[in-house]
Amino acid sequence: MGRLEGKVAIVTGGASGIGKAIASEYARQGARVCIADVSQDRCEAAAQEIASGAMGCALDVRDPSSITAAVKATVGRYGRLDILVNCAGVFAMGLITEIGPEDFDRVVAVNTRGLLFMIQGAARQMIAQGSGGAIVTIASGAGRRAPPGAVVYGLSKAAAISINQVAAQELIRHGIRCNAIAPGAVKTPMWDVVEESFSKTLGVPTGAAAQGQVAVTPLGRMAAPDEFAGPAVFLASDESSYVVGQTLNVDGGLNLG
């Protein structure tokens, strides 16, 4: 019997990277999973790859009506919602003297506003069911200490940590536990964007960002997406029944520096 047997989960940003790795492990642990991402085709492809019972659902977290539709589709398919994993996110880089309002608005719309209203949509459904639930948010070590050039991304992830803490306090009376995971550097498709942005913004060679992260990470390497699946299962399972409002560092020791 899997650790999430009988549970129903929505994983935003689930078509690739950390989100896909978590969705895959959730399915392996017995959960029925809705993979929610901006592309319906990519969602369906990931769902077919992960498990025969998984579903794909197009979702734009910037749009409250899209959030409502994704929750409704999940409940329509599986009858309930027990777990939400917030993994949808975007990245932008720019020095404080150069960053534009367009990048600020885009990152905050997804990483902060979208996160808040995704939690709201899932929590309303869980409260209506009356049987509690678990919400896991993928934050970032940048939410505690962002590097030069990452002011907007850093503030959006600091907000994610704060939203998680407030949601934990408000929702625990309904039996909904909220916790977060703060990754360090991870080899995902988004990292290619990060690497290119660092090179352009700071005038360093491509690859310098990864080298810099590895140099200050005690474990001496970047993470793989599937290294976040176990922690995400733990935080969604009954094994973490007394864990509330925490942000778990999964960063190879980077936070020790």
Side-chain angles (χ1 to χ4, degrees), residues 18 137-142 153 181-186 223 228 248-251 254:
I18 294 174
T137 294
I138 305 302
S140 171
Y153 182 74
I181 295 171
V186 191
F228 300 89
L248 176 63
N249 295 313
V250 183
D251 60 6
L254 181 63

Side-chain angles (χ1 to χ4, degrees), residues 17-18 20-22 25 186-188 221 223-231:
I18 294 174
K20 185 178 179 182
I22 292 173
E25 184 62 16
V186 191
K187 292 181 180 178
T188 66
R221 62 174 176 82
D226 59 7
E227 292 183 283
F228 300 89

Side-chain angles (χ1 to χ4, degrees), residues 12-244:
T12 75
S16 65
I18 294 174
K20 185 178 179 182
I22 292 173
S24 180
E25 184 62 16
Y26 274 20
R28 198 177 75 83
Q29 293 294 338
R32 291 168 291 175
V33 182
C34 172
I35 297 169
D37 216 314
V38 289
S39 167
Q40 181 68 35
D41 289 344
R42 292 179 65 227
C43 288
E44 291 178 356
Q48 292 175 7
E49 180 182 342
I50 286 170
S52 59
M55 66 178 284
C57 180
L59 169 68
D60 183 348
V61 296
R62 299 171 299 178
D63 180 1
S65 66
S66 182
I67 292 171
T68 299
V71 172
K72 184 177 180 179
T74 303
V75 175
R77 172 76 173 270
Y78 300 125
R80 58 183 300 105
L81 176 62
D82 304 292
I83 303 165
L84 168 65
V85 179
N86 294 300
C87 202
V90 295
F91 181 83
M93 192 166 185
L95 299 174
I96 288 175
T97 53
E98 298 174 3
I99 192 98
E102 298 83 4
D103 280 335
F104 179 94
D105 292 345
R106 179 173 64 88
V107 172
V108 170
V110 176
N111 297 3
T112 306
R113 182 179 183 272
L115 168 65
L116 172 60
F117 288 105
M118 191 68 224
I119 290 175
Q120 180 188 82
R124 285 174 172 172
Q125 175 61 35
M126 293 174 184
I127 291 168
Q129 292 169 184
S131 53
I135 297 175
V136 181
T137 294
I138 305 302
S140 171
R144 292 191 169 114
R145 187 176 65 185
V151 61
V152 175
Y153 182 74
L155 71 86
S156 76
K157 291 301 184 176
I161 293 171
S162 180
I163 290 169
N164 171 64
Q165 292 170 341
V166 175
Q169 295 173 81
E170 292 187 9
L171 298 178
I172 193 59
R173 67 188 180 92
H174 300 288
I176 301 170
R177 293 185 303 103
C178 300
N179 290 286
I181 295 171
V186 191
K187 292 181 180 178
T188 66
M190 183 182 283
W191 185 259
D192 294 335
V193 177
V194 172
E195 196 70 68
E196 181 180 350
S197 298
F198 263 86
S199 178
K200 180 179 178 181
T201 301
L202 301 181
V204 297
T206 301
Q211 292 171 5
Q213 287 291 304
V214 169
V216 297
T217 300
L219 198 54
R221 62 174 176 82
M222 294 175 64
D226 59 7
E227 292 183 283
F228 300 89
V233 169
F234 168 71
L235 291 175
S237 74
D238 292 339
E239 297 167 13
S240 61
S241 59
Y242 205 64
V243 181
V244 178

